[in-house]
Amino acid sequence: METPTKLPELFGSMVFNEQTMKDRLSKASYEAWEKSVTDGTPLELATANEIAEAMKRWAVEKGATHYTHWFQPMTGVTAEKHDSFIEPAEGGRIIMDFSGKELVKGEPDASSFPNGGIRSTFEARGYTAWDPTSFAFVKDNSLYIPTVFLSYGGQALDKKTPLLRSIEKLNQQAIRILRLFGDNDTKRVVPQVGAEQEYFLIDKDLYDQREDLRLTGRTLFGNMPPRGQELSDHYFGQLKPRVSEYMKDLDNELWKVGILSKTKHNEVAPSQHEMAPIYTECNAACDQNQLTMELMKKVALRHNLVCLIHEKPFLGVNGSGKHNNWSLGTDTGKNLFKPGSTPRQNAQFLLFLAAFIKGIDEYQGTLRCTVASAGNDHRLGAQEAPPAVLSIFLGDELERVVRSIIDDTPYENSGKKKLKIGVDSLPQIRQDTTDRNRTSPMAFTGNKFEFRMLGSAQSVSGPNIALNTIMAEELREMADKLEDSKNFNSDLQKLIKKTLTEHQRIIFDGDGYDDAWLEEAKRRGLANYPSTADAIPHYDDKENVELYVKNEIYTEEEMHARRAIHEEIYNAQIQIEARTMSDMIRRQILPAVSEYAAVMGERVMTKKNVGFSSAYEEKIGSKISVLSDKLMLSCEKIDNDLKKVPSDSVKAVQYNRNTVYKEMVKAREIADELENLTDRDYWPFPVYADLLFSE
Ligand code: ADP
Ligand code: MG
């Protein structure tokens, strides 16, 4: 099959999308698919068969020989199991077969995926089911069918099932609100997401020489080179042509699977880059971000590069995050977070805004948990990413509007006494004035909220499940109140005012990097969970369990299971890092520095023999020896600590953070000091200057 070279033909060429379905399905089947997307009507087997047949034909034309149910287990990465289309036929021939049943349902051996204890109490198998709201695509000669992953008891074992549930709940509640404002046209409200992805690119030959990068995705040792981030515009050097080749290649691959990316050079840190896709429906955006991360890594290898998606590959260099841009769109093309031009639209906007503000304030804990990971612990609150405390930045104009509502005061330039919601228009809110505060964890940027606490390596499903569910909950509460109202406008005004007044503590427009903010946040009673170990205990706090259970996103059991998996992943990551560190110290660093110290010792003797001064050699040799002993002890402590990790995962999280990780920090300090003293030729692996600047 020829790969198209022009973007219009290339874009989505490997996606079984709406247009392809329209072209290749009977009208009845196309409409049945459409209906299953808009109101969840299950597909009849005959329809599924027809779709499967069309999908298979199309996929085979695109070079596919296999198909896979592609799903998102709770590990945060994606999983796939490939089956061949090939069925033996008479006369030793083969036919390419794929039925509706195979499209709609698969039964992967689920035992290797984490379940947080769910499946041990139920059936040991799981099944996957096609999610007709996200498009199938062809990649690496396989037809990828996006699916949900469930236990036989119906419990969600993945991230897509709760995401779809949350999208549906949010839709239901948002529609109730729109009806109150006389909107009878909108049939669906859908969260829309644009996930900006940061990453590093480094040379593969150098990467291969670093065990820490290979096993943990980040460097466990290393000093900043003499040149840091300060002259970032010169950093690409030799890497540049390779990087731009890479980006071209990546864009092509992303476009083929229907991801409209705009890759950009990001000049914050050397070797760091960013990709921003055009936003799309939340469900597709989550699939696409998973696919993006996968393709970023895969395409890099073709250029002898390695793509690091870890949150903190290099100490002392800005790490990577993900900005989750989130808004609410309607099937009629409106954005519900866009301040309107009429008083009625303004009133509706303010209601959605108030609901959002209330929700973020009430559910800070769960939002914080959705971005908690060992990798992200290096960034949040470290002056390079938002603090670990949730707050909302509204921008000057909108904040003034909110203040005038809360204080009942006239707002500037209005010429009116005070803002009457539903009667007055809002001032124009210009987009360029809303985006100035880069330190805010949750910034209003004109017509969307940008959630900036996410780690670069994580799935964006968790944070979006939280945002959707929180919004659904708040809108439900408001709809319950307003649907009974006898005087809508005045009750609306009261409700908005009350809500904003009660939750104004979450609004903050100052410098989130300033320590003074943490003090202030404490006085305001905002939650501050600096690390994963501090956050996870709040995972299933009462209000969070109530939120998800009431909205039928998770059962209580599913929540506990998810917390357990979150803990398991955290524990595994810290322990792998600790073991890798110990291995590198014992088998690479200590032997190397010992050799170099011995060389220094010999030089001292040689020089002394001829009467030369040898203060330098003595000093270095002795310093290295003292530090080596310290490093050995620290490494022994890590090894011993690792033997005593509690088997209970709740306790293990605290232990790993407060004992194992703490010692790792100490060991690293000693090792980095040794790196500074040791002849480059003796140091056993490439250093930061090599990794970050390959020119
Ligand atoms: P920046 O100036 O940071 O590049 P942009 O406005 O260009 O900001 O968009 C950043 C990201 O937000 C992009 O992925 C973009 O597609 C996405 N985005 C833009 N508008 C919306 C929206 N209404 N809802 C969700 N995401 C959006
Ligand atoms: Mg951004």
Side-chain angles (χ1 to χ4, degrees):
M1 192 218 35
E2 290 262 322
T3 306
T5 47
K6 291 205 195 87
L7 179 56
E9 287 103 77
L10 181 79
F11 185 74
S13 61
M14 298 308 239
V15 184
F16 196 68
N17 56 22
E18 215 163 324
Q19 190 55 50
T20 316
M21 281 193 247
K22 218 173 208 162
D23 294 344
R24 289 178 177 247
L25 297 175
S26 68
K27 193 160 179 285
S29 289
Y30 179 77
E31 278 166 6
W33 167 78
E34 246 187 343
K35 205 164 153 46
S36 89
V37 170
T38 45
D39 55 21
T41 317
L43 292 172
E44 307 257 334
L45 188 60
T47 314
N49 276 331
E50 192 194 316
I51 297 176
E53 179 59 26
M55 210 187 255
K56 182 202 73 189
R57 269 173 200 268
W58 170 84
V60 170
E61 283 167 30
K62 300 282 175 192
T65 51
H66 288 66
Y67 68 94
T68 176
H69 278 200
W70 183 65
F71 57 101
Q72 301 174 22
M74 293 185 275
T75 50
V77 293
T78 53
E80 48 200 66
K81 171 181 173 267
H82 296 259
D83 281 312
S84 169
F85 286 129
I86 294 172
E87 294 285 337
E90 275 169 49
R93 290 178 311 116
I94 52 152
I95 52 167
M96 302 289 257
D97 196 32
F98 181 56
S99 71
K101 240 162 80 189
E102 286 160 319
L103 165 67
V104 172
K105 197 162 164 176
E107 297 191 18
D109 172 15
S111 54
S112 52
F113 299 103
N115 56 70
I118 279 184
R119 261 177 300 109
S120 54
T121 49
F122 290 87
E123 179 75 49
R125 283 176 305 163
Y127 69 90
T128 52
W130 181 37
D131 160 23
T133 62
S134 63
F135 298 130
F137 56 93
V138 167
K139 182 170 78 72
D140 302 329
N141 300 326
S142 272
L143 168 66
Y144 280 72
I145 303 160
T147 57
V148 293
F149 181 37
L150 301 156
S151 77
Y152 263 90
Q155 290 95 344
L157 294 174
D158 67 349
K159 288 178 185 272
K160 191 188 258 287
T161 307
L163 182 71
L164 292 172
R165 290 174 185 162
S166 74
I167 291 169
E168 187 45 41
K169 292 296 161 179
L170 175 51
N171 168 50
Q172 288 166 8
Q173 301 308 326
I175 291 284
R176 284 177 70 194
I177 299 285
L178 294 185
R179 297 291 181 263
L180 285 169
F181 284 88
D183 174 347
N184 292 313
D185 303 329
T186 301
K187 291 198 185 61
R188 258 192 99 72
V189 172
V190 186
Q192 310 181 115
V193 170
E196 299 166 78
Q197 175 76 46
E198 288 183 326
Y199 61 98
F200 280 83
L201 285 178
I202 60 165
D203 185 89
K204 181 162 186 310
D205 296 335
L206 299 172
Y207 167 91
D208 285 339
Q209 296 170 51
R210 298 260 332 197
E211 185 175 330
D212 47 5
L213 282 176
R214 283 187 284 112
L215 299 186
T216 72
R218 75 177 181 103
T219 54
L220 299 171
F221 306 98
N223 288 304
M224 268 310 287
R227 183 163 117 187
Q229 293 179 196
E230 46 283 291
L231 292 172
S232 45
D233 44 304
H234 299 297
Y235 280 145
F236 294 103
Q238 234 179 10
L239 203 62
K240 199 169 181 176
R242 230 156 119 203
V243 168
S244 52
E245 281 302 305
Y246 166 80
M247 287 185 174
K248 235 166 66 193
D249 199 3
L250 176 65
D251 274 344
N252 264 299
E253 293 298 330
L254 292 171
W255 292 338
K256 275 197 246 171
V257 292
I259 301 171
L260 199 44
S261 84
K262 298 191 289 182
T263 48
K264 323 188 240 193
H265 290 267
N266 184 328
E267 296 174 358
V268 175
S271 305
Q272 191 185 34
H273 312 282
E274 182 184 305
M275 192 286 278
I278 306 268
Y279 69 95
T280 183
E281 292 190 2
C282 178
N283 178 31
C286 292
D287 282 353
Q288 292 188 353
N289 184 252
Q290 293 297 138
L291 205 48
T292 298
M293 290 192 284
E294 195 185 312
L295 287 169
M296 279 179 167
K297 291 186 196 160
K298 200 180 111 182
V299 172
L301 294 177
R302 288 186 204 153
H303 300 263
N304 204 38
L305 291 165
V306 173
C307 173
L308 301 175
I309 305 217
H310 194 283
E311 283 79 10
K312 194 72 180 177
F314 305 99
L315 191 73
V317 177
N318 273 7
S320 301
K322 197 133 54 183
H323 288 175
N324 191 85
N325 294 273
W326 182 90
S327 68
L328 294 178
T330 68
D331 61 338
T332 51
K334 293 198 197 89
N335 178 346
L336 300 178
F337 280 113
K338 196 171 160 56
S341 45
T342 68
R344 184 164 276 265
Q345 282 166 358
N346 287 163
Q348 185 183 296
F349 164 74
L350 287 172
L351 181 71
F352 277 96
L353 179 71
F356 186 85
I357 289 171
K358 176 170 185 281
I360 303 303
D361 185 30
E362 286 181 334
Y363 299 106
Q364 302 159 42
T366 190
L367 282 163
R368 173 67 184 90
C369 283
T370 65
V371 297
S373 71
N376 221 13
D377 279 356
H378 300 288
R379 297 177 62 246
L380 293 180
Q383 313 280 314
E384 60 170 274
V389 180
L390 249 303
S391 66
I392 298 176
F393 172 78
L394 293 177
D396 287 351
E397 280 141 335
L398 193 53
E399 187 157 346
R400 256 185 278 136
V401 170
V402 166
R403 279 255 68 88
S404 85
I405 296 172
I406 294 173
D407 300 342
D408 248 339
T409 51
Y411 70 96
E412 283 160 57
N413 312 330
S414 72
K416 300 254 173 70
K417 269 200 83 62
K418 57 181 188 175
L419 184 78
K420 279 190 94 177
I421 294 168
V423 179
D424 296 334
S425 292
L426 291 183
Q428 275 293 313
I429 293 171
R430 281 165 294 134
Q431 184 135 5
D432 55 354
T433 61
T434 56
D435 198 20
R436 276 176 312 200
N437 192 328
R438 308 305 297 177
T439 68
S440 175
M442 186 75 82
F444 181 71
T445 50
N447 59 6
K448 63 187 188 284
F449 281 94
E450 189 168 347
F451 188 18
R452 299 188 178 129
M453 292 172 90
L454 283 73
S456 50
Q458 72 170 100
S459 153
V460 298
S461 296
N464 284 302
I465 293 167
L467 288 172
N468 297 342
T469 309
I470 289 167
M471 199 63 189
E473 174 61 26
E474 302 302 346
L475 293 177
R476 178 223 315 283
E477 220 176 86
M478 291 185 165
D480 285 349
K481 290 203 179 99
L482 292 172
E483 278 171 357
D484 291 337
S485 165
K486 302 270 177 315
N487 187 340
F488 182 68
N489 263 0
S490 100
D491 285 345
L492 177 68
Q493 171 111 19
K494 275 186 223 143
L495 178 64
I496 291 175
K497 180 179 165 152
K498 181 169 182 285
T499 307
L500 293 175
T501 306
E502 285 172 2
H503 298 282
Q504 55 183 304
R505 65 171 184 171
I506 196 79
I507 301 169
F508 175 64
D509 68 351
D511 179 1
Y513 291 179
D514 193 340
D515 283 341
W517 163 234
L518 295 185
E519 286 301 311
E520 164 74 12
K522 196 169 170 186
R523 277 194 287 111
R524 293 188 189 189
L526 300 177
N528 183 5
Y529 309 134
S531 73
T532 302
D534 303 307
I536 289 195
H538 299 279
Y539 196 97
D540 37 21
D541 274 356
K542 192 162 160 278
E543 74 264 19
N544 299 336
V545 174
E546 274 172 18
L547 170 73
Y548 292 109
V549 172
K550 184 169 162 202
N551 286 284
E552 299 174 303
I553 309 301
Y554 302 124
T555 61
E556 201 168 341
E557 188 198 19
E558 285 172 344
M559 275 204 79
H560 297 319
R562 262 153 224 268
R563 173 180 167 161
I565 288 165
H566 208 129
E567 287 164 347
E568 278 166 29
I569 293 171
Y570 175 82
N571 289 327
Q573 275 172 352
I574 299 287
Q575 283 162 231
I576 291 168
E577 286 185 356
R579 287 198 297 267
T580 306
M581 189 168 218
S582 160
D583 193 55
M584 289 173 79
I585 292 173
R586 281 182 286 103
R587 301 195 311 126
Q588 295 190 291
I589 298 176
L590 287 176
V593 294
S594 162
E595 188 182 355
Y596 186 57
V599 168
M600 283 306 197
E602 280 157 26
R603 287 184 197 163
V604 170
M605 288 194 292
T606 315
K607 283 178 126 187
K608 279 202 165 138
N609 266 340
V610 291
F612 289 176
S613 146
S614 57
Y616 159 66
E617 289 80 3
E618 280 176 46
K619 194 163 189 175
I620 298 291
S622 145
K623 263 192 181 173
I624 289 181
S625 301
V626 171
L627 286 170
S628 308
D629 293 350
K630 269 173 85 175
L631 185 58
M632 176 192 67
L633 291 175
S634 180
C635 183
E636 279 174 2
K637 176 153 173 20
I638 291 175
D639 292 340
N640 282 327
D641 289 345
L642 278 172
K643 286 183 197 137
K644 290 181 260 171
V645 178
S647 55
D648 173 60
S649 77
V650 177
K651 289 192 187 126
V653 169
Q654 303 306 321
Y655 179 86
N656 280 324
R657 173 75 185 175
N658 299 318
T659 305
V660 179
Y661 181 71
K662 220 169 168 179
E663 192 59 35
M664 286 170 59
V665 173
K666 282 189 200 158
R668 175 178 189 145
E669 270 169 27
I670 307 167
D672 287 354
E673 222 178 315
L674 280 165
E675 184 200 302
N676 268 336
L677 296 170
T678 305
D679 184 332
R680 288 197 63 150
D681 293 342
Y682 286 80
W683 196 250
F685 39 75
V687 296
Y688 276 20
D690 306 323
L691 295 167
L692 290 166
F693 312 95
S694 1
E695 68 245 60

